[in-house]
């Protein structure tokens, strides 16, 4: 049947086809006239189901094919069904929701359950804010009271559609372009999904974030401004790559799996929390791995960004390999990196080998070195202590107390409270406790020019405001060392090297030993060390180390050297060591032992004094000028000597001149080689076996009295032996009368005021008295002598020497000798011998 070109109405009623009052039977096809979209509305009224063919404006009703039909009305409450075709059909729900358009045919009065048939069928709705409900069946959904089955696509024309699943655990899948797949249907133009509380979501295809809202609620952010975001509620599971939340608690369940807001998320690659209190708790055994970006960490395959609190896992935190990280440790054991706080961490591996990056720890506990770039920190919150171990670290701040390893450690100080050890720079260090293994040496290298201070406790020192304990070696730097206020013992081990309080120091230029009684011991095993006095008290330099405030120095056969620019006093005393008498030298508040050479200052402008209480040792001149040995000490260039046993011994085979001098206190001293000896009782001039040398005794400028008694020469309470010549002082006829008292014969030399007595040549002698009834003889010389008999006849003058108590027989010797007499009316008696005459009782062979 072919309709008109106008709007025709066909009816299939009571089993027959009707139009224009005519009923038809046996019709297989009706062509209503016109073409699709021709603007003419042809209508079919029917009481039976219709089947779409898949073509526009075409259907089958009661086995009749209708073409170019624009409207179908199911009448008489027939509630006829619309059945889709085997190919693609399109359905449009009208805005009033009581009309539906299928393949460009408007239906009214239809059955609300529509089987869209096979093919890829699409339903669009013009209802504003339409809601679609899913069922338990694939490809089945309901909207506006219409249930569609076998549907493949649904579109909300206003892009405000809502998809709900209130009774079933539906699975929703988002596409990259903002569509929703659920129950084998693709939904387009939907902004809301409402699950039943146990629904699931697959958002793995979207490139944007899945925003976490309230419990079981999320929002898909497609980042593309042309795609509308989708809000999803009522889900408890989701698959998503990127999550975005604010102040949310996240629980990591497994690799790439996290629980948050009552939803379990899987396949998660990244979570960003934009709030200030985002928290992550991990139930896995994975480590936390920092990445190069700030405030980001990777854990169980998930990168977390912007989190505030993180806890759990295997309690291990690993640093970024391509970035320097900073770890801040709290008193409670929390570790902050950027703005992230890690709780319960026991191991931190900075994981950076690149020297361009620096990994830093801000420590707040007791730090213990464990090896290169590794250490532990002891945390003791609430009295329950545990250690956090760090490795791969380059720097530590707020170190506080640092404990060394059980091996040999080296601590290099870089400044105040700052040091470097095991590849780590530590700052804010208050103290260091090195290992206490006696077989292992720990070393401190002080900063150059900084002071190193001993504390008085073994193996302990302070430098750059750091207290070091259990240190065995103080290496480079710290050239200026200060002792403690206790008694310090310094054992020299080499040039600029020593051991003090069981610490070995090297490269030390000076040491102020501080208060207390401090001792220096030469432990080098080498002899001949020099100890040079400083300008002040308790100052001495030895082994190129300037010591100050030191009290005792124990040298090993060393030399003590005085100064040339000041007066100095040295006091020698005896002490016993292992049964042997030894000598101690005190000067400038210091006591020296083990000294075998004392070199006082060699200056004519200053006076060096030696005082000795060693009363069983004499003073012994040597063959060197200005040198004397006393109490096993060779003394050079000293000026004044006192004490000892009062005996001065001359040098063998040497010419020595002993000058008698008067001190300001009227005491007498002997001066020899520029050395001034006080308190002498005896001088033993040197023996000169086979050597033509002469030891001379020189008198004062005043009237001196010499005595040769009991075989020894005496003057001013001093006895002399070994003297070959005495120069009484002054010159002939100088008006000063020097006298010799003797018990033995004297021999004139022919020179004025000169004679020999007991093989001693006396010069400038004006008087000789033979004492103790010795009746000594006067023997003339081999040259011309002159004799004068005094007026009293009991005194004789020979060569200007006045003699008394002499033997009355005088041999004038050879030469042309002359005798004059001052006796008035003297009488001379000749004998039977030539050149012999007697006068005043004196017989002179003349």
């Amino acid at each position: 049947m072919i309709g008109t070109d106008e709007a025709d109405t066909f009816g299939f009623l009571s089993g027959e086809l009707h139009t224009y009052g005519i009923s038809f039977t046996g019709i297989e096809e009706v062509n209503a006239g016109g073409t699709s979209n021709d603007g003419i509305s042809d209508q079919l009224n029917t009481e039976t189901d219709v089947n779409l063919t898949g073509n526009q404006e075409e259907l089958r009703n009661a086995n009749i094919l209708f073409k170019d039909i624009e409207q179908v009305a199911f009448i008489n409450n027939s509630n006829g069904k619309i059945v889709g075709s085997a190919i693609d059909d399109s359905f449009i729900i009208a805005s009033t929701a009581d009309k539906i358009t299928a393949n460009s045919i408007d239906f009214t009065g239809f059955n609300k359950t529509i089987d869209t048939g096979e093919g890829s069928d699409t339903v669009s709705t013009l209802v504003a804010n339409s809601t679609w409900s899913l069922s338990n069946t694939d490809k089945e959904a309901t909207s506006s009271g219409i249930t569609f089955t076998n549907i493949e696509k649904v579109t909300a024309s206003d892009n405000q559609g809502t998809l709900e699943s209130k009774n079933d655990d539906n699975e929703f899948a988002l596409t990259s372009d903002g569509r929703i797949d659920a129950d084998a249907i693709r939904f387009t133009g939907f902004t809301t999904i409402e699950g039943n509380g146990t629904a699931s979501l697959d958002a793995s295809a979207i490139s944007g974030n899945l925003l976490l809202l309230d419990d079981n609620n999320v929002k898909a952010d497609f980042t593309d401004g042309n795609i509308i975001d989708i809000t999803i509620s009522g889900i408890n599971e989701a698959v998503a790559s990127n999550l975005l939340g604010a102040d949310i608690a996240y629980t990591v369940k497994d690799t790439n799996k996290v629980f948050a807001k009552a939803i379990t998320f899987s396949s998660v690659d990244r979570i960003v929390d934009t709030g200030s209190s985002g928290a992550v708790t991990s139930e896995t055994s994975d480590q936390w791995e920092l990445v190069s970006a700030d405030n980001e960490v990777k854990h169980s395959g998930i990168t977390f960004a912007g989190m505030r609190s993180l806890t759990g896992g295997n309690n291990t935190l690993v640093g970024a390999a391509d970035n320097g990280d900073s770890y801040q440790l709290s008193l409670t054991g929390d570790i902050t990196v950027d703005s992230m706080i890690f709780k319960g961490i026991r191991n931190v591996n900075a994981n950076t080998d690149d020297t361009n990056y620096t990994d830093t720890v801000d420590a707040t506990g007791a730090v213990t070195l464990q090896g290169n770039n590794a250490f532990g920190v002891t945390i003791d919150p609430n009295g329950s202590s545990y250690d956090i171990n760090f490795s791969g670290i380059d720097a530590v701040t707020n170190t506080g107390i640092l404990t060394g390893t059980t091996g040999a450690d080296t601590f290099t100080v870089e400044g105040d409270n700052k040091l470097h050890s095991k590849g780590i720079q530590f700052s804010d260090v208050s103290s260091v406790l090195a290992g206490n293994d006696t077989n292992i040496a720990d070393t401190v290298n002080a900063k150059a020019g900084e002071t190193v201070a001993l504390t008085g406790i073994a193996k302990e020192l302070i430098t750059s405001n750091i207290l070091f304990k259990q240190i065995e070696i103080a290496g480079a730097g710290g050239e200026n060392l200060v002792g403690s206020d206790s008694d310090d013992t310094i054992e020299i081990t080499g040039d600029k090297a020593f051991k003090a309080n069981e610490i070995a120091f090297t490269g030390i230029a000076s040491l102020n030993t501080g208060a207390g009684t401090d001792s220096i011991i030469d432990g080098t095993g080498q002899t001949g060390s020099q100890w040079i006095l400083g300008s002040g008290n308790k100052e001495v330099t030895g082994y190129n180390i300037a010591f100050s405030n030191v009290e005792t120095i124990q040298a090993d056969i060393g030399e003590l050297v005085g100064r040339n620019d000041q007066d100095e006093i040295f006091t020698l005393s005896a002490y016993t060591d292992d049964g042997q008498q030894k000598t101690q030298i005190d000067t400038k508040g210091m006591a020296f032992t083990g000294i075998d050479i004392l070199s006082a200052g060699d200056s004519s402008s200053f006076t060096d004094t030696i005082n000795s209480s060693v009363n069983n040792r004499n003073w012994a001149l040597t063959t060197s000028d200005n040198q004397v040995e006393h109490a096993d000490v060779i003394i050079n260039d000293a000026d004044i000597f006192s004490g000892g046993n009062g005996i001065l011994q001359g040098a063998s085979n040497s010419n020595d001149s002993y000058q008698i001098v008067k001190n300001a206190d009227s005491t007498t001293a002997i001066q020899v080689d520029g050395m001034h000896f006080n308190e002498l009782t005896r001088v033993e001039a040197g023996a000169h076996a086979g050597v033509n040398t002469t030891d001379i005794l020189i008198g004062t400028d005043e009237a001196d009295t010499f005595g040769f008694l009991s075989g020894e020469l005496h003057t001013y309470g001093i006895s002399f032996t070994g003297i070959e010549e005495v120069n009484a002082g002054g010159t002939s006829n100088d008006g000063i009368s020097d006298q010799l008292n003797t018990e033995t014969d004297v021999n004139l030399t022919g020179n004025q005021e000169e004679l020999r007595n007991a093989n001693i040549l006396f010069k400038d002698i004006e008087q000789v008295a033979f004492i103790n009834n010795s009746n000594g003889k006067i023997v003339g010389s081999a040259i011309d002598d002159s004799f004068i008999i005094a007026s009293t006849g009991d005194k004789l003058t020979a060569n200007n020497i006045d003699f008394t108590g002499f033997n009355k027989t005088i041999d004038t010797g050879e030469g042309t000798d002359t005798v004059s007499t001052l006796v008035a009316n003297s009488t001379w008696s000749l004998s039977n011998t030539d050149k012999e005459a007697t006068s005043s009782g004196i017989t002179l062979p003349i």
Side-chain angles (χ1 to χ4, degrees), residues 453-464:
L454 299 175
T455 66
I457 299 174
K459 299 185 178 183
E460 190 172 290
L461 60 82
I462 297 174
T463 184
S464 297

Side-chain angles (χ1 to χ4, degrees), residues 739-809:
Q739 179 171 326
L740 169 63
N741 296 324
T742 182
E743 295 173 319
T744 61
D745 299 344
V746 300
N747 295 79
L748 301 176
T749 65
N751 297 320
Q752 299 298 299
E753 299 184 354
E754 183 178 287
L755 57 82
R756 285 188 178 278
N757 178 230
N759 293 320
I760 300 174
L761 176 62
F762 289 85
K763 293 183 177 182
D764 296 316
I765 289 293
E766 284 78 26
Q767 295 183 49
V768 173
F770 293 97
I771 61 176
N772 298 330
N773 298 315
S774 59
N775 195 29
K777 291 182 179 180
I778 301 171
V779 180
S781 70
I783 58 177
D784 299 345
D785 298 315
S786 62
F787 299 87
I788 300 173
I789 298 173
S791 60
T792 59
D794 57 358
K795 182 173 71 174
L796 176 70
T797 299
N799 297 345
N800 287 333
I801 303 172
D802 293 336
F803 291 88
T804 59
F806 51 89
N807 187 293
K808 298 298 182 172
T809 299

Side-chain angles (χ1 to χ4, degrees), residues 70-72 82 92-102 105-110 112 124 126-127 144 146:
E70 282 77 32
Q71 297 182 43
V72 173
I82 303 170
I92 300 174
I93 300 173
S95 60
T96 60
D98 59 356
K99 182 176 73 171
I100 191 170
T101 300
I105 303 170
D106 293 336
F107 292 87
T108 58
F110 53 89
K112 298 297 181 170
S124 300
L126 301 179
V127 178
S144 300
I146 304 170

Side-chain angles (χ1 to χ4, degrees), residues 104 141 168 198 296 390 421 474 662 718 774 776 785:
S104 300
D168 301 310
T198 56
E296 292 193 10
F390 292 84
S421 183
K662 291 290 186 70
I718 304 171
S774 59
D785 298 315

